[in-house]
Amino acid sequence: MREQTADVIVVGAGNAAFCAALAARERGAKVLMLEAAPEEESGGNSRFTAGSIRVAYDGVDDIKTLVPDLTPAEIETTDFGAYTTAQFFDDMARVSQHRADPDLVEALVKQSFATLDWMRQNGVRLIPIYGRQAFKVDGRFKFWGGLTIEAVGGGPGLIAMLTAAAGRCGIEVRYRSRAVDLLYDGSRVGGVRVRPDGRTEELRAGAVVLACGGFEANTEWRTRYLGPGWDLAKVRGSRYNTGDGIRMALDIGASPRGNWSGCHAVQWEMNAPEFGDLAVGDQFQKHSYPFGILVNATGTRFVDEGADFRNYTYAKYGRVVLEQPGQFAWQVFDRKVKHLLRDEYKIRQITKVTANSIGEFAQKLEGVNAAEFVRTVAEWNAAVCTDVPFNPNIKDGRCTKGLAIDKSNWANTLDVPPFEGYAVTCGVTFTFGGLRIDTDAAVLSIDHRPISRLYAAGELIGGLFYFNYPGGTGLMSGAVFGRIAGYSAANACVRRRSARSNTR
Ligand SMILES: Cc1cc2nc3c(=O)[nH]c(=O)nc-3n(C[C@H](O)[C@H](O)[C@H](O)COP(=O)(O)OP(=O)(O)OC[C@H]3O[C@@H](n4cnc5c(N)ncnc54)[C@H](O)[C@@H]3O)c2cc1C
């Protein structure tokens, strides 16, 4: 028999892959990680994130466990509330229109806290997301939308801390090593075929974990599966996630699962490059739209900007913008809400216009029917229920009444100059369709039986996300199923070793 390179090979080096590798190592396996990108571009989409991670917790004591250096002053001035497993479960069911697999959701939700605490024990430092997820009202911060924790240093910090953790326990990461095929003898997976620097090599292992992302960076697959127009979307993150892991597994008879025509896509700077730029990270996104209005080329509104908290609408509104004429929209705000705009509105790489009157502003909104826009604003201002107090921390019910498309919350008149407009298009984050796994993260065959020694985690699993997504769940899903996949893969190797020694 050919010698094994490692007990467990993990394909990818993003969050899910590192969690799988650390878990397998913890169970005593020798682990090798293979990453397609060169080291300077590695870390996948995980490195592009803000590092915000959705976790179920019961109150401030749980937050103190995850963030041991939380100061008494922070505790005093903050209402962390709670985000229970029941709420997390309900959010997943609601936003997926009850299609998410309940067993996978249960594993995700119930293991979220323990997994995040395990990451902390492995050296991932965490803090509350004061900047983006809490507004200060009456001297006190209040967290909203079930998203309270982020990794120190955001996505780059998370990847740096996970890379350091892997290094500390002797896990090797080979960069510029794109896995192209699984070694499969018809009954079990025994390694991968890899192409480092244009050569082809076979690497044998006791088990393989696929954690190499979705197909969002593959223009042809996007068009094929998401549909016409998706070739025109910008890719928010890594250009290396081209669906290889999914293809490799399907090639050996794995079962596809989930919302193959669906994806996570947001409003993204109109003139952003084709793929993500690590120097800008996630800052091309424009997520403060709940406090303004969105108009398209016809000068009219097309969506309820305040249908829910940003965390529950942002991932589906990219698609809505893609469907507009010319695949663009303008987000419009006035001075009253300017202080609520997130940091990403202050970057240099932005398509922005300002003006002191609506008439002048309308002329500056490139590609927009100016006369229609002026009419839209007049109707809008007359429809806002100004008697309901505005409160960004809650779904305040400050709506419009009588418009063709009403806004449900946070409606404000547009009447205090300067007016500001930001041009956005659709940025695709990751795809929802993927591989069928069980709750041990084993990849299932078309007969729905585990493919021996093959596991998967992260973006490339199907069955969790449909239509929409609760913010911060991607990292948590990668962490939970990555950890499970790592343990399962290591256990499979141990079982194999003991079976071999018993037959000697
Ligand atoms: C701009 C942006 C912001 C985001 N913000 C958040 C956030 O704040 N919170 C959150 O929860 N989620 C966020 N997400 C979503 C989140 O990034 C993903 O859900 C999560 O990071 C996926 O992790 P992963 O490990 O599955 O994939 P990735 O992190 O993308 O890792 C996949 C890795 O596999 C490698 N790879 C691909 N093909 C091969 C191959 N054939 N061989 C070897 N290696 C290969 C890639 O190079 C990559 O390193 C964001 C995404 C983007 C793009």
Side-chain angles (χ1 to χ4, degrees), residues 355-362 417-419:
N356 282 321
S357 76
I358 283 292
E360 183 197 353
F361 185 65
F419 304 100

Side-chain angles (χ1 to χ4, degrees), residues 16 35-36 44-46 49-50 52 179 212 240-241 244 429 458-459 472 474-475:
E35 165 59 46
N45 276 352
S46 305
T49 69
S52 356
C212 47
Y240 292 90
N241 289 357
D244 290 356
T429 318
E459 281 178 0
L475 288 175

Side-chain angles (χ1 to χ4, degrees), residues 8 41-42 79 84 103 122 148 152 239 252-255 288 304 310 431 456 466 478:
V8 175
E41 288 181 73
S42 69
D79 176 3
T84 62
D103 294 332
N122 274 285
T148 308
V152 170
R239 68 189 170 91
I252 64 158
S255 169
S288 295
D304 179 355
R310 190 282 312 177
T431 43
Y466 293 79

